[in-house]
Amino acid sequence: MNTKLLEAYKKSFNTKPLKYFSSPCRINLIGEHTDYNKGLALPAAISKYIQAVVGIRSDRKISLKSLEKSKVVTVDLDNISNKPENRWGNYPLGIFATLQKRGYKLPFGLDIIFYSNVPIASGLSSSASLLDLTAFIASIMYDIPLDKKEIALLAHQSETEFNGLLCGVMDEFAIALGKKDKCILLDCKDNSFTYEDISFQDLSLVVIVSNVRRSLIASPYNKRVEECNSALKIIQKQFDVASLSDIKVSDLPMCRKLIKDDVLYKRVRHIVNENQRVRDFVKASKSGDIRSMIHLLNESHESLRDDYEVTGEYLDYIHEISLKYGAFAERMTGAGFGGSSIALIKQRDFKSFKENLTRDYINKYHIKPTIFLADICDGLSVEDIK
Ligand code: ADP
Ligand code: MG
């Protein structure tokens, strides 16, 4: 329980604080931009959290405060729409709108205060963390029986329909279904998943946040989704495939012949190879083949840089200097366009790795990166406030 957050709630609202909620963020080991192409991903929840204290109001207003934001957002449950003046509040508000769209009656308003140590808009999915958290809050406070998978799907519906990002389900699944020390092998074709023990042997997983702020809604994210859809339409004229993830690596020469546009073909090549990399990575982990795992992680970054063109100069520079300063593997994680990356290093090298990276990155960009060891953790949680 975060007592400072509880105190902040009492200062901000007159209602009784009833419950305390917490939601992690996520990394993705491999399988990037595959989720909205109905492909494979291998994410895990990590222990940076958005926390919330929640109470019940006597009217029908949802009042939202975030210790990270100055704007307090108060909206009537009967009048929720995505408005620019709601700013960050449009994320949590979307959950209430989506539940009502699905036909649920929400009989009373809520006061909610959020605190977060998740880097915001940095590729570790603070948006999905906030959405899953709010969906979980609503399911508990309104007694709507939703399991963790349904929470993820509700949050995903909200992010796509209410917030307008044409994203896949990976972020919402990783956070809602997170399990200590496990990675989630997610197949976005049917949203099925298995928990996997991924072993890095004597290497440790590090997260590097570039601290280059970007808004995904304003980034070329939706453009990549559209490019994939255009390429799929061309392929579907000749072949019976439901998504780019139905295409095998051995089908790529056939795709090259069909797709005249070089850029579109590169997008397809990334998706097809990336799905195969996920399969190969899980297989390599099962057989203890760390060399192949390292190779696949680096290859994934190169493919996202050269074929999918989403890494950007900051993450490419981090990739370059990470390998120079002792990382065995390094790749961007999440959507890219700035954001974060992950690396595998020897734990005893962590201090010098962090110092070297920080120094070089500050020298070049005058921005301090955030670097920490990843701790894979459980997903959503709730506690009563006595
Ligand atoms: P990412 O999901 O990679 O962190 P996005 O651009 O998808 O980045 O989402 C970031 C947005 O989510 C922020 O601009 C803000 O609107 C919202 N958000 C995330 N965390 C918080 C928080 N703790 N308080 C308020 N808003 C938040
Ligand atoms: Mg996001």
Side-chain angles (χ1 to χ4, degrees):
M1 162 69 78
N2 179 335
T3 46
K4 274 195 188 146
L5 184 60
L6 187 57
E7 287 316 307
Y9 182 99
K10 288 176 183 164
K11 275 194 196 132
S12 308
F13 301 119
N14 295 320
T15 52
K16 189 171 177 302
L18 295 175
K19 287 186 194 286
Y20 165 80
F21 294 83
S22 168
S23 174
C25 64
R26 68 97 191 87
I27 49 168
N28 186 24
L29 286 185
I30 195 160
E32 216 66 79
H33 286 270
T34 43
D35 58 352
Y36 54 80
N37 285 300
K38 304 204 178 303
L40 301 170
L42 190 65
I46 58 164
S47 62
K48 299 273 179 202
Y49 297 95
I50 304 185
Q51 302 164 333
V53 170
V54 182
I56 291 177
R57 291 173 66 105
S58 55
D59 60 13
R60 292 186 53 71
K61 288 192 181 355
I62 298 291
S63 192
L64 305 164
K65 188 179 162 82
S66 168
L67 298 187
E68 275 56 59
K69 304 276 177 185
S70 54
K71 169 107 179 139
V72 178
V73 182
T74 304
V75 172
D76 201 289
L77 268 173
D78 301 314
N79 196 17
I80 301 180
S81 58
N82 186 326
K83 291 194 187 123
E85 64 261 34
N86 293 336
R87 301 213 205 137
W88 67 274
N90 281 318
Y91 281 92
L93 286 175
I95 296 295
F96 300 96
T98 307
L99 278 172
Q100 294 186 99
K101 193 171 158 188
R102 287 187 182 191
Y104 289 104
K105 299 270 175 279
L106 309 182
F108 46 79
L110 299 173
D111 284 331
I112 310 178
I113 190 163
F114 296 102
Y115 160 80
S116 162
N117 65 0
V118 179
I120 294 183
S122 294
L124 300 179
S125 211
S126 67
S127 64
S129 182
L130 186 57
L131 285 163
D132 277 2
L133 178 61
T134 311
F136 188 45
I137 289 171
S139 81
I140 299 275
M141 301 309 286
Y142 298 122
D143 206 10
I144 301 170
L146 297 174
D147 64 21
K148 297 282 162 69
K149 187 169 169 178
E150 288 163 333
I151 297 253
L153 290 171
L154 169 68
H156 177 253
Q157 184 184 352
S158 185
E159 187 160 16
T160 49
E161 292 177 9
F162 194 84
N163 302 113
L165 184 70
L166 305 174
C167 56
V169 293
M170 175 187 61
D171 296 352
E172 277 87 1
F173 266 71
I175 288 163
L177 293 154
K179 213 189 231 333
K180 185 150 181 53
D181 298 331
K182 303 277 180 191
C183 293
I184 301 166
L185 176 58
L186 176 64
D187 187 345
C188 300
K189 189 173 192 169
D190 54 7
N191 294 333
S192 60
F193 63 92
T194 51
Y195 288 109
E196 301 288 334
D197 290 303
I198 299 295
S199 166
F200 301 114
Q201 301 184 9
D202 62 339
L203 300 179
S204 299
L205 192 59
V206 178
V207 179
I208 306 149
V209 184
S210 71
N211 287 325
V212 181
R213 287 278 173 112
R214 54 101 185 86
S215 158
L216 279 186
I217 292 170
S219 77
Y221 188 99
N222 282 351
K223 184 156 187 262
R224 290 293 175 280
V225 180
E226 284 157 18
E227 286 166 346
C228 288
N229 291 340
S230 307
L232 178 63
K233 279 197 191 112
I234 297 171
I235 296 166
Q236 281 173 329
K237 282 187 190 145
Q238 296 280 332
F239 293 93
D240 181 23
V241 288
S243 73
L244 293 185
S245 298
D246 284 344
I247 299 166
K248 296 195 235 23
V249 174
S250 57
D251 296 332
L252 279 172
M254 165 278 282
C255 293
R256 177 67 281 200
K257 281 192 194 125
L258 288 177
I259 302 170
K260 306 284 175 249
D261 185 296
D262 289 343
V263 172
L264 283 194
Y265 174 67
K266 285 203 293 181
R267 307 300 188 240
V268 174
R269 187 165 61 185
H270 167 73
I271 299 301
V272 173
N273 285 330
E274 187 76 355
N275 278 318
Q276 189 55 40
R277 276 189 284 270
V278 178
R279 288 183 204 101
D280 292 346
F281 187 83
V282 173
K283 207 166 132 200
S285 165
K286 285 196 167 111
S287 60
D289 181 2
I290 189 76
R291 285 181 62 173
S292 294
M293 292 166 76
I294 287 168
H295 178 72
L296 289 161
L297 292 172
N298 287 326
E299 213 177 63
S300 170
H301 184 90
E302 288 156 17
S303 175
L304 288 154
R305 181 189 63 203
D306 303 335
D307 276 358
Y308 218 64
E309 297 178 277
V310 290
T311 51
E313 69 164 294
Y314 299 88
L315 291 182
D316 285 338
Y317 184 62
I318 288 173
H319 179 71
E320 184 192 318
I321 56 177
S322 294
L323 296 177
K324 176 173 155 196
Y325 290 124
F328 291 81
E330 204 277 353
R331 64 175 290 275
M332 60 157 260
T333 192
F337 313 107
S340 297
S341 52
I342 52 170
L344 286 179
I345 63 163
K346 291 247 197 275
Q347 187 151 356
R348 61 160 193 263
D349 294 339
F350 178 67
K351 194 165 169 275
S352 62
F353 177 78
K354 184 173 170 171
E355 279 167 8
N356 285 327
L357 233 70
T358 303
R359 185 197 57 239
D360 281 18
Y361 191 73
I362 290 178
N363 279 346
K364 189 163 169 80
Y365 292 118
H366 309 288
I367 302 171
K368 191 170 180 217
T370 306
I371 303 175
F372 57 91
L373 286 163
D375 165 38
I376 296 181
C377 69
D378 286 323
L380 301 161
S381 71
V382 56
E383 275 173 47
D384 286 331
I385 297 173
K386 297 280 177 315

